Amino acid sequence: MQESSLKRLSRFVFTYWPFLLLSTFAALFYVVFNSASVWVTATMINNILIDFNDMLVDNKRLLSLNELSMNDRLKLYSNSILLKDTAIDTVSTVCAALIFIFAAKNISLYIKNISLSVVQYKLIRDLRNRLYAHFHHLSLSYFNKNKSGKLTSVLVSDVDNIKNSLTQIFQKLFVEPLNIVFLISLLFIISKKLAVIALLIIPISGLIIFSVASSIRRRAERGQAQLAGITSIITETISSIRIVKAFATKFFEINRFAKETQKYYKLMLRKDRLSFISSPISETLAASIASVLLWVGARDVLVNQSITSEDFLRFILLLFSLFRPLKSLGNVVNQLQNGLASADRIFAIMDTKSDINDIENPYNISDLNEKISFNNVSFSYEKNDKKVLDNISFEIKKGEVIALVGPSGAGKSTLVDLLPRFYDASGGSIEIDNKNLKEIKLNSLRSLMGIVTQETLLFDDSIRGNIAYGAETVSDKKIEKAAIAANAHEFILNLPDGYNTIIGENGVSLSGGQKQRIAIARAIVNNPPILILDEATSSLDSESEKHVQLAIENLMNERTVVVIAHRLSTVHNANKILVIDDGKIVQKGNHKELVSTNGLYKELHKMQFQT
């Protein structure tokens, strides 16, 4: 899984190859100038510590040699630039060289970092956009099985976690390996024996770092899952705050939240214990090996005289310069585990296929011309579950109003959910104008339908924006006309900013009846030929119901309508009423026929009207 997520992230990253190429060249220049800065610093210190005449003598010795080692060649080259006739002139030249080298090094570092930042933020933007777009392609059943808090956590927290990880990874992964290669090369050029001793640190540190990496990733995965649970609790509690207050369960919710945050605290602390231990151990090992090198090098300088003091000084400076990129690269491994843990969760969602898909070359439809047919339709939410709908058959002719009535849980809402293909029938078929719904392009199918439900969903936007939702271009006149037809124009004008009034999250500043009328106006603007009303007035008081019912009658005009009704008074004028019980149609007919026949409809009617 790790390789798969890393490979997939890499594919995203390499789409921005021009910025990566620029960053790579800048990193290369940075590494060259960084190594040069260490080399020149050693020259500066050496110039101060030893007699200047000795430097001149050593330079003449190098010039007289017939065969030069790479170390000798580098020293001669640097001397040709830095070494002048007097000590003070040499110091001045070295100081000027240091200013130039550090300026060039840091300009290269800036170009490298800003190029990688572009890659990083483009990646996060595109990854988040892809994931959000994928949410819209998933079927309704997926969202029924997964909490909104968990999905929000993945979209926000996990993508952010990748960003935080990549901030470290990108800024170091391109430069530190090059830095290490250059510095190690210089160490070998100066002294092979000392370099071999120094390199003992790399496999030992690597073993420590990679031994804890897998544990860090496991804990990071569990931590992100726990954070998703916390987000889910927050989402549920805030959306249900009225219920929490009504049932006086605030202490229960506070304790439940505290338990989850305590679990998250423990998981993250365990992860950080592992993460933070690798660096101190590596650094301690580095210091131990550096001490050994100082002892061995001092003997080579003072006793064996196999290496000059200048070379040994340069070697030690390069060695200590090597520790920083090694340590930094070790931290990258830990950060990478955190990022990949989040990547696993992101790609797990992106790999989820929708249950509802278009076939190849589907039909596009723009209107209902004749009828809608349900042919022996059965449905269950899971394969081996009890059937929610069982062998349902009926027709809806164009312009008809069909009402579905029956007790709660009978399958009415499930039946209408099959029409826009929120779910697909488990058996049988549904057709529009003799075309199977599965053969019709989803977008064109759903564009035929307007849906008004009991639970009205509005956006934290203006009333104008909510009414116009889903319509690409709509005039103010058309919005106002829709509001008049929805019996909403009058109350809208009485609001502080009229049609520009921001109504808050899910229309919190409006009453239930007002929200329903806004939803009806939205449906009128889209002008759908098929209308689905799912208990649109059942939660309203009598006064609000009158306003909404009038709006619904305007909306139903010259449309094909499927009504789910809890209040039977709203379906007296339906062309046909289907009485559904336990997933089956148990009665059919109009109100007059059904109320005069013994059966479930008559019983429901008696219960509501006490006759």
Side-chain angles (χ1 to χ4, degrees):
M1 192 67 180
Q2 179 174 345
E3 288 182 2
S4 173
S5 293
L6 186 58
K7 187 176 179 181
R8 293 172 75 171
L9 277 176
S10 299
R11 252 197 324 269
F12 271 95
V13 170
F14 283 107
T15 57
Y16 317 112
W17 63 266
F19 293 99
L20 290 176
L21 193 63
L22 175 61
S23 185
T24 302
F25 278 115
L28 187 61
F29 279 110
Y30 168 78
V31 166
V32 170
F33 285 119
N34 185 55
S35 300
S37 69
V38 177
W39 192 278
V40 173
T41 301
T43 302
M44 177 80 168
I45 296 170
N46 189 60
N47 186 43
I48 295 169
L49 293 179
I50 72 168
D51 188 274
F52 180 70
N53 291 325
D54 291 341
M55 290 182 65
L56 294 175
V57 169
D58 186 59
N59 190 56
K60 287 180 180 178
R61 179 187 64 80
L62 291 173
L63 288 169
S64 66
L65 293 175
N66 292 323
E67 292 186 10
L68 295 171
S69 65
M70 180 60 73
N71 186 37
D72 292 335
R73 290 176 189 276
L74 286 173
K75 283 198 286 187
L76 270 176
Y77 179 73
S78 63
N79 286 346
S80 67
I81 298 171
L82 304 173
L83 194 61
K84 302 302 176 184
D85 295 335
T86 64
I88 193 65
D89 287 342
T90 301
V91 169
S92 300
T93 305
V94 169
C95 289
L98 280 173
I99 292 171
F100 170 78
I101 289 170
F102 273 93
K105 180 177 89 166
N106 284 289
I107 290 170
S108 301
L109 182 64
Y110 173 79
I111 294 171
K112 187 267 296 182
N113 286 344
I114 200 66
S115 301
L116 288 179
S117 288
V118 171
V119 173
Q120 171 197 335
Y121 286 108
K122 278 178 176 284
L123 169 65
I124 297 310
R125 178 201 64 192
D126 294 349
L127 197 59
R128 188 167 273 149
N129 288 347
R130 285 275 294 272
L131 184 58
Y132 182 75
H134 188 67
F135 280 163
H136 287 276
H137 286 94
L138 291 171
S139 57
L140 202 60
S141 60
Y142 180 83
F143 296 96
N144 291 339
K145 295 173 189 174
N146 293 275
K147 293 181 178 180
S148 59
K150 173 192 169 185
L151 301 178
T152 302
S153 176
V154 174
L155 185 62
V156 178
S157 300
D158 280 314
V159 175
D160 244 13
N161 196 39
I162 288 183
K163 178 182 75 69
N164 294 334
S165 297
L166 294 183
T167 299
Q168 297 295 319
I169 295 165
F170 282 175
Q171 303 298 352
K172 294 172 183 176
L173 202 58
F174 276 77
V175 67
E176 304 305 13
L178 284 171
N179 228 345
I180 290 167
V181 168
F182 264 75
L183 292 171
I184 288 175
S185 300
L186 289 174
L187 291 178
F188 272 96
I189 286 170
I190 294 169
S191 171
K192 291 184 177 64
K193 182 177 81 172
L194 294 178
V196 168
I197 297 171
L199 290 185
L200 287 174
I201 187 177
I202 293 176
I204 296 172
S205 297
L207 188 64
I208 294 167
I209 290 164
F210 288 103
S211 66
V212 299
S214 58
S215 295
I216 289 171
R217 184 173 181 187
R218 284 196 302 272
R219 282 165 174 77
E221 287 173 342
R222 289 201 290 268
Q224 288 302 310
Q226 186 66 26
L227 186 60
I230 290 170
T231 307
S232 184
I233 289 174
I234 295 169
T235 305
E236 287 175 358
T237 305
I238 291 174
S239 62
S240 309
I241 195 69
R242 184 184 293 270
I243 300 298
V244 173
K245 290 185 178 295
F247 283 82
T249 55
K250 66 178 181 180
F251 293 114
F252 168 78
E253 292 295 343
I254 290 168
N255 289 335
R256 182 163 74 111
F257 186 76
K259 286 177 184 176
E260 295 303 310
T261 54
Q262 177 66 11
K263 288 179 186 175
Y264 181 71
Y265 156 74
K266 287 181 177 178
L267 282 169
M268 291 297 97
L269 187 60
R270 286 174 194 156
K271 179 182 74 69
D272 282 355
R273 279 175 186 161
L274 282 170
S275 180
F276 294 147
I277 200 170
S278 58
S279 181
I281 291 174
S282 298
E283 197 165 306
T284 302
L285 283 169
S288 301
I289 291 176
S291 298
V292 172
L293 280 171
L294 282 171
W295 183 78
V296 173
R299 287 182 59 83
D300 285 346
V301 173
L302 300 174
V303 179
N304 302 326
Q305 296 184 343
S306 58
I307 184 173
T308 66
S309 59
E310 180 186 1
D311 283 340
F312 182 62
L313 175 63
R314 190 170 280 128
F315 186 93
I316 292 299
L317 288 176
L318 288 168
L319 179 63
F320 278 100
S321 296
L322 179 64
F323 290 162
R324 187 194 59 78
L326 282 172
K327 181 180 176 181
S328 184
L329 206 55
N331 290 336
V332 165
V333 174
N334 293 340
Q335 290 286 345
L336 184 61
Q337 298 309 310
N338 290 332
L340 289 179
S342 290
D344 288 344
R345 285 162 55 81
I346 290 168
F347 289 130
I349 293 176
M350 291 178 71
D351 290 340
T352 303
K353 304 298 182 186
S354 175
D355 299 333
I356 312 297
N357 297 292
D358 284 327
I359 64 166
E360 193 173 344
N361 301 318
Y363 292 107
N364 272 298
I365 59 174
S366 58
D367 202 355
L368 171 64
N369 297 314
E370 295 179 19
K371 63 181 178 178
I372 301 168
S373 305
F374 282 72
N375 306 310
N376 302 313
V377 171
S378 297
F379 178 79
S380 55
Y381 285 100
E382 297 293 340
K383 216 171 202 180
N384 299 318
D385 284 359
K386 179 188 173 184
K387 288 182 180 179
V388 180
L389 300 172
D390 189 6
N391 205 33
I392 298 281
S393 294
F394 65 94
E395 282 189 355
I396 310 170
K397 292 178 182 176
K398 181 176 180 177
E400 278 191 331
V401 176
I402 300 295
L404 307 178
V405 301
S408 296
K412 305 184 296 296
S413 293
T414 302
L415 183 61
V416 297
D417 280 347
L418 298 181
L419 197 51
R421 284 192 73 195
F422 292 154
Y423 305 95
D424 274 337
S426 307
S429 66
I430 305 171
E431 297 177 347
I432 290 182
D433 294 336
N434 299 314
K435 292 184 179 68
N436 193 308
L437 293 191
K438 294 179 182 179
E439 298 174 353
I440 299 171
K441 192 172 181 64
L442 268 173
N443 281 352
S444 70
L445 171 67
R446 291 172 180 171
S447 67
L448 296 183
M449 300 178 193
I451 302 174
V452 181
T453 63
Q454 177 183 351
E455 185 185 356
T456 307
L457 298 176
L458 299 177
F459 299 93
D460 187 7
D461 195 357
S462 66
I463 286 179
R464 186 187 310 280
N466 272 281
I467 293 175
Y469 180 76
E472 290 185 11
T473 56
V474 57
S475 66
D476 289 347
K477 187 176 180 181
K478 190 173 181 181
I479 290 171
E480 188 173 312
K481 189 177 178 182
I484 292 170
N487 205 14
H489 181 65
E490 187 176 337
F491 88 76
I492 292 172
L493 292 181
N494 289 328
L495 293 173
D497 297 311
Y499 282 85
N500 295 318
T501 301
I502 302 298
I503 60 175
E505 187 177 358
N506 203 22
V508 68
S509 63
L510 302 178
S511 70
Q514 289 172 333
K515 288 197 284 187
Q516 283 291 45
R517 282 178 274 169
I518 295 297
I520 291 166
R522 180 166 62 195
I524 291 172
V525 163
N526 287 320
N527 196 27
I530 301 169
L531 180 63
I532 297 171
L533 301 173
D534 189 351
E535 301 197 74
T537 63
S538 64
S539 63
L540 304 179
D541 57 55
S542 298
E543 186 63 31
S544 296
E545 185 183 358
K546 288 178 186 176
H547 291 294
V548 172
Q549 192 59 44
L550 180 60
I552 286 174
E553 288 170 9
N554 291 334
L555 179 59
M556 290 167 64
N557 189 35
E558 297 183 358
R559 288 185 172 85
T560 305
V561 184
V562 181
V563 182
I564 296 177
H566 174 70
R567 294 177 182 174
L568 300 185
S569 60
T570 61
V571 298
H572 285 182
N573 297 323
N575 298 105
K576 189 188 299 178
I577 299 171
L578 306 179
V579 185
I580 299 175
D581 189 24
D582 197 25
K584 297 177 181 177
I585 296 176
V586 295
Q587 285 183 284
K588 290 182 185 179
N590 59 37
H591 170 70
K592 191 175 180 180
E593 292 168 348
L594 293 173
V595 83
S596 62
T597 306
N598 288 331
L600 181 57
Y601 186 85
K602 189 173 183 178
E603 291 175 16
L604 293 171
H605 196 269
K606 279 183 179 180
M607 288 171 61
Q608 288 192 20
F609 295 96
Q610 298 294 312
T611 59

